[in-house]
Amino acid sequence: MERILPAIVFSQLYSLTLSTLQPDALLPYLTGDTKLRYLLTNQITHLNIDILDQVTTELNNENESNIFTLILSIGKCVTDLTFSQWLCCKHTWISIFHLPSTSCVSSTLTKLNINVNTFDDCLYLLDGHLDSLSTIIINIRKISPPLLDIDNTKPLLKLKCFSLITYVQTYFYDSRVVPLLYRMLNLEELTLYLSIRRIESTYIDGTHLYDEILIHMP
């Protein structure tokens, strides 16, 4: 990266993909007086960050959370962000719900594609920190009982498109996912890819989706 960015003026560069980067290698470019930081602050509107971990450690997970919050902080023009992490060709996830409420803030971001660790991370992102967000595509490692008391009742009036993906079976669809969907009063596009275990019913059909979700939306 250092052999390219400092040498050229990118006056028309608005979309940028950074692929297979190590977290500890990327951080200095976001924190120092670098061309990358300048571009993120003044020009880039569409950003794709693809982090490759050689090994998963607590430090690397913390670095990835820091990278995400740094991008939100310095990406003054970023409207579309894809943030993904990989380990040996498999997705990994970041956890952000434990961060201060002022960490994940952006007034420009309208579309976010991200992998997170828990459903609390999802609620954290939708808790008013990203007030212009209209589209979110979120891959969650697991939907489990809440670890924090995060409000899951405030209407998400600007959200138009919502995609929720998880491959781990969950017993908390009715208690966690459905209340979140109730908040999306102006939703236009919904994608759910879930593995659900329920006691009262063994499957979810169109009748359930209409009676429990769609009927609550205008």
Side-chain angles (χ1 to χ4, degrees):
M1 192 186 306
E2 66 271 15
R3 291 179 295 179
I4 300 175
L5 290 179
I8 304 174
V9 176
F10 297 94
S11 59
Q12 301 299 317
L13 181 63
Y14 300 104
S15 180
L16 180 64
T17 295
L18 301 175
S19 182
T20 62
L21 294 173
Q22 296 290 316
D24 54 353
L26 178 58
L27 267 174
Y29 289 97
L30 298 175
T31 56
D33 184 16
T34 64
K35 176 67 73 173
L36 176 60
R37 185 182 176 100
Y38 173 85
L39 289 171
L40 290 177
T41 302
N42 297 282
Q43 287 184 215
I44 300 299
T45 59
H46 292 65
L47 180 63
N48 186 344
I49 298 286
D50 191 8
I51 294 175
L52 177 63
D53 274 348
Q54 298 294 342
V55 60
T56 298
T57 66
E58 184 176 344
L59 177 60
N60 272 2
N61 289 336
E62 182 179 347
N63 282 345
E64 289 165 13
S65 299
N66 290 338
I67 289 171
F68 177 69
T69 57
L70 269 172
I71 289 170
L72 292 181
S73 175
I74 66 179
K76 303 299 184 183
C77 301
V78 175
T79 61
D80 187 329
L81 172 61
T82 296
F83 190 91
S84 58
Q85 314 86 247
W86 298 87
L87 173 66
C88 299
C89 301
K90 295 182 180 180
H91 280 298
T92 59
W93 299 267
I94 63 170
S95 186
I96 54 178
F97 71 87
H98 61 283
L99 298 174
S101 60
T102 56
S103 297
C104 296
V105 177
S106 172
S107 61
T108 60
L109 193 67
T110 60
K111 182 178 180 181
L112 175 63
N113 188 335
I114 191 171
N115 307 325
V116 297
N117 191 41
T118 71
F119 198 75
D120 284 344
D121 295 308
C122 174
L123 295 182
Y124 179 87
L125 289 170
L126 294 172
D127 197 26
H129 302 89
L130 310 173
D131 55 11
S132 296
L133 198 66
S134 62
T135 298
I136 184 168
I137 302 166
I138 190 161
N139 189 330
I140 300 179
R141 185 174 71 88
K142 60 181 179 180
I143 300 175
S144 54
L147 300 174
L148 289 179
D149 183 17
I150 302 177
D151 184 20
N152 194 18
T153 61
K154 183 179 179 181
L156 301 168
L157 300 179
K158 293 184 179 180
L159 199 64
K160 303 294 184 182
C161 301
F162 179 66
S163 178
L164 178 63
I165 303 164
T166 184
Y167 300 101
V168 177
Q169 285 190 344
T170 180
Y171 287 92
F172 301 96
Y173 166 78
D174 292 287
S175 61
R176 307 218 70 192
V177 177
V178 172
L180 174 60
L181 298 178
Y182 286 171
R183 300 167 57 191
M184 303 176 186
L185 301 180
N186 296 318
L187 200 66
E188 298 175 357
E189 183 176 334
L190 173 64
T191 301
L192 298 175
Y193 190 99
L194 309 173
S195 180
I196 300 169
R197 296 293 297 271
R198 306 176 79 209
I199 297 175
E200 297 180 357
S201 176
T202 57
Y203 65 94
I204 293 175
D205 58 10
T207 301
H208 165 83
L209 291 175
Y210 180 81
D211 291 342
E212 298 297 327
I213 298 174
L214 298 180
I215 199 172
H216 296 275
M217 300 176 180

